[in-house]
Amino acid sequence: MTEFLKQPTSVEKWGIFELSLNGPSEGNPYQEVNLTARFQYKNRIVEPDGFYDGNGVYRIRFMPDEIGIWCYITTSSIPELDGHHGEFICLQPSLGNHGPVRVKNGYHFAYEDGTAYMPFGTTCYHWTHHGDERNEELTLQTLESSPFNKVRMCILPTRGMRPPQLAFTGTTPEDTDRTRFNPAFFAHLEGRIADLCRLGIEADLILFHPYDKGDWGFDSMDRETDQYYLRYVIARLAAFRNVWWSLSNEYDFNKFKTVEDWDRLIQFVQRRDPYQHLRSIHNGTKMYESSPLYDFSKPWITHQSIQHWDPELTTEWRMANRKPVVIDEISYEGNSSRRWGNISGEEMTLRFWETMTRGGYVTHGEAYTHQDKRAWISSGGTLQGESSERMAFLRRIMEEGPADWSQAAQDGDYYLNYFGRHQHAYYELALPMGTEYSVEIIDTWNMTVTPLGGTFSGPSRIELPGNPYTALRIRKAAQLAGAGAGGGESA
Amino acid sequence: MTEFLKQPTSVEKWGIFELSLNGPSEGNPYQEVNLTARFQYKNRIVEPDGFYDGNGVYRIRFMPDEIGIWCYITTSSIPELDGHHGEFICLQPSLGNHGPVRVKNGYHFAYEDGTAYMPFGTTCYHWTHHGDERNEELTLQTLESSPFNKVRMCILPTRGMRPPQLAFTGTTPEDTDRTRFNPAFFAHLEGRIADLCRLGIEADLILFHPYDKGDWGFDSMDRETDQYYLRYVIARLAAFRNVWWSLSNEYDFNKFKTVEDWDRLIQFVQRRDPYQHLRSIHNGTKMYESSPLYDFSKPWITHQSIQHWDPELTTEWRMANRKPVVIDEISYEGNSSRRWGNISGEEMTLRFWETMTRGGYVTHGEAYTHQDKRAWISSGGTLQGESSERMAFLRRIMEEGPADWSQAAQDGDYYLNYFGRHQHAYYELALPMGTEYSVEIIDTWNMTVTPLGGTFSGPSRIELPGNPYTALRIRKAAQLAGAGAGGGESA
């Protein structure tokens, strides 16, 4: 039969075990060859799809989630790919590997090992598409020193783009062959997803988008081609623990697909993804019109990926669908000529705070336009706005607090009051009686935290600086002083 | 019979002709004596109510609106007040007297002589109530040097206030007699209304309000007492040309009255006011809730006196009711501990611009709180905020433009584009072809107007400073250069 490639014998938990096999290269192996494998640990069985990687090489990727000995066996209609079996050991995850992100406590997120994860996303739609390795490295450097731990990024190109490589073979709309994928494109993309993973950044992959307008035609493929594409993407990328699936950006701007089509495609991803990565879809028109959002209560949706300019609706969306709210587009900081891309850093910071203090999450983006280079939201590069530094400050504040701060507020343990554009001279806090609280005044723009002396209990008048963008952080004094402090309980 | 008082023989158009008569003072003349007069000029007849002014003196006030000889005759069930007749001459109005303000062109206002009037209101609810003449004079000085040409002010006191004089006799809730009015209170109020008139400022009189809560009980009087009060107020004040009727502030916070009660009271004012001053009613809850506004399409309402924080709804309100929109409360600049009273000067200025560039009007207010004095919205005094200076700048800009700028924009004559929080690096203007326009960049916060060189026509890219609070003023070049400029037409 065929030559046996050497297979790995160990992999860390939530790492990627990759089985490589040689097989036929004639015909169109993407279409004609089926390959899956069955991975088993005790009575847990996972069956990911394999994929053709060009040059006669087939691969099956698997992300184990149990420590111990896993065995596997392949299945294919092609004899030389069928029946390969073996075993490997799944080891402790390495430092910083907490597994994929999951929904936790209804409205929040956590890594699979239980470590808290709060999404502080940003947007670089096509940072991997331009064939500019130097700019991609620069983007990674920028992200590494930024507060961002999620990037929204597209797999497919937009109208007018002529990237050196595509998900499909070919480089122009005329010579694209939608029956064949381009392994080199994916290898490059996977490298970047792995780079993000190393930096602790989730890759919120946008699978479709409407910015095609008859150029590539990727927004108007038939049902079979859509699923053929999704299946290949999932086979290659689902084993990366930092992947999220965003079925489409601004799905409602795509006039070729109905909501039912989207429902079907999201359910297809739900069926094919062995790891059940986070799944959502992102609306367009809601930004300035009153058409309804996608019905995020549908069971295949894990979180609400919303576009809207008004963070004060967060409470309403939480109550409506009882899933995490992530406002993935809330307008971008910048100086674009388009309304969606030219809010100030102050406004962007305000929208982050308004959303997060209501128990939602927001994704950042910058659209500063220059004669000589593309905007961050399009191509990454460097950040120049004023909000990202404030996001870092906000992230620090949020991470110092409880993971589920809305619950903590209900429990009377922790409060974060944000006053937005309001500039109170003082504020009448109605604190619970019988519990002592520390109070700090936060200047969210100048990024200062000023503790007030003493502790507070019951109705308390707090003098404020009378500036906009002020917040109060209120914590149980005992929490701060450590267990056993105050109250005179026996030791 | 009785002694004849000397009556005036002339009055300017839209001035006040006041007839004074002696009559009985025993019993309760407010209740027991009826007095009206019939004023006639050619075939025009107006019949205002008279009123008892204490000390046996009765008066009838009349605002003539036609130049020439008017005659009059009184009617009363009391013989000594009945059948007094005479004539007087109505003269040209003096400089600055343009008559009462009327609705014009559907969404706008003008004085009765056709002079443009754009309301730039402010709010001093109880500036006349505190018995502090020095502060009242100071308020008038402040108003004189301010951009404001309308003041919202209450006739009735709020809970807890103990003003030296009341509309009714008595000075405490216990000794108030609602069957008798206090002429001294009204004489003082009329003096202040006359002072405002001299400064070109409209008095937007708030006839009822809900801030009583069982103290005075003026919010829960019976139907007859409400109408008794309104009739006296109208008899005394309707002849002042600068009066507007605001039936209630935050009417929906008054739990003793239904919308039907308010409809009836507004219609009562409509029937009794011989001059048909502007009439509206002002909502409360709409500020932060989604309950419906009063139905301003009702025929007795002249304009929409709205409370709401979102100026972007102006377009919707215009379309809904096809009457002028005046956002009489849009939050106040200040440092109050209440949300409605602590927005920044920048935010207040933004809300003015957002409203006016949509074809609406806004009323200003300040709620800076100090240990030693009351806020401007309560008692007048001096202004200390940052927005009033910007209102003056905005007023200048608006008054340099066409009176009906929304129509002028439709006609392609004049555009005022405001970008609010957006900070464009450039803007693609779609100007009509074949017409040359001048373009100016307005910094609405720093109050500068920067003309761009040359003229523009058709699609035009305008470089912008990339700052928030920027506006563009675009005018037909020919308008600027004077008739006959450009185009090569024959002289």
Side-chain angles (χ1 to χ4, degrees):
Chain A
M1 287 177 62
T2 184
E3 177 197 357
F4 260 56
L5 295 173
K6 190 170 184 309
Q7 308 302 352
T9 57
S10 71
V11 66
E12 66 181 295
K13 186 177 177 181
W14 302 307
I16 300 175
F17 176 84
E18 185 177 280
L19 192 62
S20 303
L21 302 169
N22 287 326
S25 57
E26 61 273 21
N28 183 348
Y30 299 102
Q31 268 187 329
E32 293 156 14
V33 176
N34 68 317
L35 171 64
T36 64
R38 176 187 165 103
F39 289 83
Q40 183 156 6
Y41 167 79
K42 298 185 176 165
N43 60 356
R44 170 148 168 71
I45 293 170
V46 184
E47 295 187 288
D49 285 332
F51 62 91
Y52 182 56
D53 201 26
N55 299 318
V57 177
Y58 293 77
R59 302 189 198 275
I60 300 171
R61 288 182 180 154
F62 173 60
M63 179 186 82
D65 58 2
E66 293 285 353
I67 291 168
I69 305 293
W70 288 76
C71 62
Y72 62 84
I73 183 163
T74 66
T75 303
S76 176
S77 54
I78 305 292
E80 61 192 303
L81 296 173
D82 188 52
H84 292 274
H85 58 89
E87 58 181 41
F88 66 91
I89 183 162
C90 175
L91 304 169
Q92 287 283 355
S94 58
L95 198 70
N97 171 1
H98 302 289
V101 172
R102 308 294 187 192
V103 170
K104 186 165 181 187
N105 295 332
Y107 303 102
H108 301 284
F109 299 94
Y111 292 104
E112 193 165 306
D113 74 354
T115 303
Y117 172 82
M118 295 185 195
F120 285 81
T122 189
T123 310
C124 304
Y125 288 126
H126 292 99
W127 74 282
T128 64
H129 284 79
H130 299 290
D132 183 347
E133 293 288 323
R134 206 172 137 270
N135 188 63
E136 292 176 18
E137 294 294 339
L138 181 62
T139 304
L140 289 165
Q141 282 167 32
T142 303
L143 287 169
E144 186 170 13
S145 58
S146 84
F148 303 116
N149 60 10
K150 177 172 92 89
V151 177
R152 282 182 65 76
M153 50 192 283
C154 294
I155 297 183
L156 297 170
T158 66
R159 175 176 64 164
M161 276 178 61
R162 288 297 176 267
Q165 309 209 83
L166 284 180
F168 298 100
T169 61
T171 53
T172 65
E174 294 71 34
D175 70 1
T176 303
D177 179 357
R178 291 182 202 151
T179 70
R180 289 174 179 271
F181 297 98
N182 179 353
F185 169 85
F186 279 97
H188 173 258
L189 176 64
E190 288 152 10
R192 292 314 181 192
I193 292 172
D195 289 335
L196 292 176
C197 191
R198 205 164 43 244
L199 300 177
I201 297 172
E202 303 292 299
D204 193 358
L205 296 175
I206 298 167
L207 299 170
F208 292 99
H209 64 69
Y211 320 119
D212 192 308
K213 309 273 172 75
D215 185 10
W216 298 101
F218 297 147
D219 58 344
S220 56
M221 302 190 297
D222 61 26
R223 177 183 300 205
E224 288 65 36
T225 309
D226 282 344
Q227 295 190 353
Y228 178 62
Y229 158 74
L230 287 178
R231 187 166 178 162
Y232 191 78
V233 166
I234 293 166
R236 292 199 70 121
L237 305 182
F240 290 85
R241 64 177 174 271
N242 61 325
V243 157
W244 300 23
W245 307 122
S246 181
L247 258 289
S248 181
N249 218 42
E250 301 189 318
Y251 76 90
D252 44 336
F253 291 165
N254 183 326
K255 299 303 173 200
F256 302 99
K257 287 184 165 62
T258 63
V259 169
E260 291 66 37
D261 290 331
W262 291 116
D263 287 347
R264 191 174 36 74
L265 290 170
I266 304 173
Q267 289 176 83
F268 182 83
V269 172
Q270 183 184 33
R271 281 196 308 278
R272 305 310 309 183
D273 171 13
Y275 316 107
Q276 297 300 301
H277 288 290
L278 293 168
R279 272 182 311 274
S280 196
I281 186 166
H282 184 67
N283 63 293
T285 55
K286 187 65 195 180
M287 197 71 184
Y288 294 107
E289 295 176 29
S290 53
S291 64
L293 292 171
Y294 186 87
D295 178 3
F296 291 118
S297 73
K298 288 174 176 172
W300 45 85
I301 293 288
T302 56
H303 63 287
Q304 309 182 62
S305 170
I306 290 170
Q307 177 171 187
H308 203 287
W309 53 270
D310 186 357
E312 302 196 16
L313 296 172
T314 298
T315 308
E316 197 173 295
W317 295 320
R318 277 174 54 118
M319 285 167 54
N321 298 305
R322 306 209 169 265
K323 293 182 184 177
V325 167
V326 186
I327 308 181
D328 273 318
E329 188 173 339
I330 196 161
S331 306
Y332 304 125
E333 181 182 344
N335 64 352
S336 160
S337 66
R338 309 291 295 274
R339 269 184 83 80
W340 48 253
N342 58 30
I343 64 170
S344 66
E346 285 186 338
E347 179 65 18
M348 190 73 169
T349 304
L350 173 127
R351 294 185 188 185
F352 263 74
W353 276 86
E354 292 281 10
T355 305
M356 293 204 76
T357 51
R358 285 173 171 78
Y361 301 91
V362 186
T363 298
H364 160 273
E366 269 192 24
Y368 283 101
T369 58
H370 301 274
Q371 302 295 49
D372 58 335
K373 65 184 185 118
R374 300 188 195 87
W376 171 261
I377 55 161
S378 167
S379 306
T382 54
L383 288 164
Q384 63 177 101
E386 297 182 297
S387 66
S388 62
E389 187 183 357
R390 275 84 190 178
M391 303 303 116
F393 176 74
L394 171 58
R395 182 173 172 181
R396 195 197 94 197
I397 296 289
M398 297 309 294
E399 290 182 349
E400 286 173 1
D404 184 350
W405 65 97
S406 44
Q407 185 59 48
Q410 277 181 41
D411 296 345
D413 291 337
Y414 176 93
Y415 306 95
L416 195 58
N417 288 9
Y418 177 59
F419 302 118
R421 297 198 181 92
H422 297 279
Q423 42 181 19
H424 297 68
Y426 68 93
Y427 190 76
E428 302 278 5
L429 270 180
L431 293 171
M433 303 292 287
T435 306
E436 294 295 319
Y437 292 90
S438 74
V439 176
E440 294 159 306
I441 296 177
I442 300 177
D443 181 328
T444 68
W445 182 252
N446 294 310
M447 299 176 284
T448 58
V449 178
T450 308
L452 297 184
T455 60
F456 299 83
S457 187
S460 305
R461 179 182 161 118
I462 308 294
E463 302 297 323
L464 291 175
N467 299 324
Y469 312 134
T470 301
L472 284 183
R473 178 162 64 174
I474 300 147
R475 294 185 282 188
K476 263 193 189 168
Q479 288 180 330
L480 291 178
E489 290 93 350
S490 62
Chain B
M1 290 177 61
T2 185
E3 179 199 358
F4 259 57
L5 295 172
K6 192 172 181 312
Q7 310 301 353
T9 56
S10 71
V11 66
E12 68 180 293
K13 187 177 176 180
W14 302 307
I16 300 175
F17 176 82
E18 185 177 280
L19 191 61
S20 305
L21 303 170
N22 287 325
S25 56
E26 61 273 20
N28 184 348
Y30 299 104
Q31 267 186 328
E32 293 154 16
V33 176
N34 70 315
L35 170 66
T36 64
R38 177 188 165 103
F39 289 83
Q40 183 156 7
Y41 167 79
K42 295 183 179 168
N43 60 355
R44 172 149 168 70
I45 293 169
V46 184
E47 294 185 287
D49 285 331
F51 62 91
Y52 182 57
D53 201 26
N55 299 317
V57 178
Y58 293 77
R59 300 187 199 279
I60 301 170
R61 288 181 179 154
F62 172 61
M63 180 187 81
D65 58 2
E66 294 286 353
I67 291 167
I69 306 292
W70 288 76
C71 60
Y72 60 85
I73 183 163
T74 65
T75 303
S76 176
S77 55
I78 304 292
E80 60 191 302
L81 297 171
D82 187 54
H84 292 273
H85 59 89
E87 60 179 40
F88 66 90
I89 182 162
C90 176
L91 306 168
Q92 288 283 353
S94 58
L95 197 73
N97 171 2
H98 302 289
V101 171
R102 308 296 186 189
V103 170
K104 187 167 180 184
N105 296 330
Y107 303 103
H108 302 284
F109 298 94
Y111 292 103
E112 193 165 305
D113 74 353
T115 303
Y117 172 82
M118 296 185 194
F120 286 82
T122 189
T123 309
C124 303
Y125 289 127
H126 292 98
W127 74 283
T128 63
H129 285 79
H130 299 290
D132 183 346
E133 293 288 320
R134 207 171 137 270
N135 189 63
E136 291 177 18
E137 293 294 336
L138 181 62
T139 304
L140 290 165
Q141 283 168 30
T142 303
L143 288 169
E144 185 169 13
S145 60
S146 84
F148 304 117
N149 60 12
K150 177 172 91 90
V151 177
R152 282 181 67 75
M153 50 192 282
C154 293
I155 297 184
L156 296 171
T158 65
R159 175 175 65 162
M161 277 177 62
R162 290 293 175 270
Q165 310 210 80
L166 284 180
F168 298 99
T169 61
T171 53
T172 67
E174 294 70 35
D175 70 0
T176 303
D177 179 357
R178 291 182 202 151
T179 70
R180 290 173 179 272
F181 297 99
N182 179 353
F185 169 85
F186 279 97
H188 173 258
L189 176 64
E190 287 153 11
R192 293 313 182 194
I193 293 172
D195 288 336
L196 293 174
C197 191
R198 206 164 41 243
L199 299 177
I201 298 172
E202 303 292 298
D204 195 357
L205 296 175
I206 298 168
L207 300 171
F208 292 98
H209 64 68
Y211 319 120
D212 193 308
K213 310 272 172 76
D215 185 9
W216 298 101
F218 297 147
D219 57 344
S220 55
M221 302 190 296
D222 61 26
R223 177 183 300 204
E224 289 64 37
T225 310
D226 283 344
Q227 294 190 354
Y228 179 62
Y229 159 73
L230 288 177
R231 188 165 176 164
Y232 192 78
V233 165
I234 293 166
R236 293 200 68 122
L237 305 182
F240 289 86
R241 65 178 174 269
N242 62 324
V243 157
W244 300 23
W245 307 122
S246 181
L247 258 288
S248 182
N249 217 42
E250 302 190 320
Y251 75 90
D252 43 337
F253 292 166
N254 183 327
K255 299 305 174 201
F256 301 98
K257 287 184 166 60
T258 64
V259 169
E260 291 67 37
D261 289 330
W262 292 116
D263 288 348
R264 190 174 36 75
L265 289 170
I266 305 173
Q267 289 176 84
F268 181 84
V269 172
Q270 184 184 32
R271 280 197 309 277
R272 304 309 309 182
D273 171 12
Y275 316 108
Q276 297 298 303
H277 289 289
L278 293 168
R279 269 183 313 273
S280 196
I281 186 167
H282 185 66
N283 63 292
T285 57
K286 187 67 195 179
M287 198 72 184
Y288 293 106
E289 295 175 29
S290 53
S291 64
L293 291 172
Y294 186 88
D295 177 3
F296 292 117
S297 73
K298 289 175 175 171
W300 45 84
I301 293 288
T302 56
H303 63 287
Q304 310 182 59
S305 172
I306 290 170
Q307 176 168 187
H308 204 289
W309 53 271
D310 186 356
E312 302 196 16
L313 296 172
T314 300
T315 309
E316 198 172 294
W317 295 320
R318 277 174 54 117
M319 284 167 55
N321 297 305
R322 306 209 171 265
K323 292 182 185 177
V325 167
V326 186
I327 309 181
D328 272 317
E329 186 171 340
I330 196 162
S331 307
Y332 304 124
E333 180 181 346
N335 65 353
S336 161
S337 66
R338 309 292 294 274
R339 269 183 83 82
W340 48 253
N342 57 30
I343 64 170
S344 66
E346 284 186 338
E347 180 66 17
M348 190 73 170
T349 305
L350 173 128
R351 294 185 187 184
F352 262 74
W353 275 86
E354 291 282 10
T355 306
M356 292 205 75
T357 52
R358 284 172 171 79
Y361 300 91
V362 187
T363 297
H364 160 275
E366 270 192 23
Y368 283 101
T369 57
H370 300 274
Q371 302 295 51
D372 58 335
K373 64 183 184 123
R374 301 189 193 87
W376 170 261
I377 54 160
S378 166
S379 306
T382 54
L383 288 163
Q384 65 177 100
E386 296 183 300
S387 67
S388 62
E389 186 184 357
R390 275 83 189 179
M391 302 303 116
F393 176 74
L394 171 58
R395 182 172 172 181
R396 194 197 95 198
I397 296 290
M398 297 309 294
E399 292 182 347
E400 285 172 2
D404 185 350
W405 66 97
S406 46
Q407 185 59 47
Q410 278 182 41
D411 296 343
D413 291 338
Y414 176 92
Y415 307 95
L416 195 58
N417 289 7
Y418 178 59
F419 302 118
R421 296 197 182 91
H422 297 278
Q423 43 182 16
H424 297 69
Y426 67 93
Y427 191 77
E428 302 278 5
L429 270 180
L431 293 170
M433 304 291 287
T435 305
E436 294 295 320
Y437 291 89
S438 74
V439 176
E440 293 158 304
I441 296 177
I442 298 177
D443 182 328
T444 66
W445 183 252
N446 294 309
M447 298 177 283
T448 59
V449 179
T450 308
L452 298 182
T455 60
F456 299 83
S457 186
S460 304
R461 179 182 161 120
I462 307 294
E463 302 297 323
L464 291 176
N467 299 325
Y469 312 133
T470 301
L472 284 182
R473 178 163 64 174
I474 300 147
R475 293 183 283 187
K476 265 192 188 166
Q479 289 179 328
L480 291 178
E489 292 93 347
S490 62

